[in-house]
Amino acid sequence: MIDVRTFDSLGGANHGWLDAKHHFSFADYHDPKRVHHGALRVWNDDTIAAGTGFPPHPHADMEIITYVREGAITHQDSLGNKGRTEAGDVQVMSAGTGIRHSEYNLEPGVTKIFQIWIIPNKRGEGPAWGAKPFPKGDRSGKFVALASGFADDGDALPIRTDARVLGATLKAGETAEYAIGADRKGYLVPSSGKVEVNGVALNTRDGAAIQDEAVIRVKALEDAELVLVDAAEL
């Protein structure tokens, strides 16, 4: 079953410096039918104006993955970590027992990100942060794990949950498959392009909540960049 959540149907708010769209209930947006999808709790589509960002604020007990769609985001946290993550690359933060961080767009133009929160299955551990480049050519025509709670995904950034965040780039007419298993939850968003997911059409920045599907088969109707979360049931 695939539940399409069109971009126009998403919750959100425009704060001037931040234009935020929410695939799931977040902040002042609440939809009882869109609270979580398995362990996936948040998928925010944020456009951040130049020279602005999120001042220091706390998190705990959440795995937070940031996929940069355009521009770059600069991170600083209470552990002393600092880093700049560019378009196509990924940063992860395991909030653990507690961390404070800031995220700013220090670039001359807008920065666009997907920020994804996944409920952890390990608690009581110290916080951690990491970032890594993922060249788009390495995921051409296939799904590649960007962040993962599985030890076998050695090239992915580690997260403390039974989940994967994957990326793929497809040329128009190309197809990629991911064997998720019918007992897991998938959520797929095209960062760019139009695709079909198991025959269901999806436009840029639409979301597809996937369940009871053993295989996710994506056909690109035009050049596309995809982000997919494979998450366990709660």
Side-chain angles (χ1 to χ4, degrees), residues 195-214:
V195 301
E196 286 183 351
V197 182
N198 292 9
V200 177
L202 211 62
N203 292 311
T204 300
R205 298 162 79 188
D206 289 350
I210 303 162
Q211 61 184 6
D212 302 323
E213 302 273 350

Side-chain angles (χ1 to χ4, degrees), residues 112-180:
K112 298 179 180 180
I113 64 171
F114 289 152
Q115 190 168 94
I116 297 163
W117 296 13
I118 306 176
I119 298 167
N121 58 5
K122 297 179 181 178
R123 297 177 184 269
E125 298 185 11
W129 176 85
K132 187 174 179 179
F134 287 94
K136 293 182 182 180
D138 292 352
R139 42 191 147 118
S140 177
K142 61 183 178 181
F143 284 102
V144 171
L146 309 175
S148 176
F150 300 99
D152 291 345
D153 294 330
D155 293 333
L157 288 161
I159 51 178
R160 300 168 185 166
T161 186
D162 182 4
R164 287 186 180 95
V165 180
L166 305 108
T169 57
L170 300 179
K171 296 292 186 183
E174 284 188 326
T175 299
E177 293 186 357
Y178 178 71
I180 189 169

Side-chain angles (χ1 to χ4, degrees), residues 45 66 80 88-89 94 102 110 149:
D45 182 329
T66 303
D89 298 340
S94 294
S102 63
V110 299

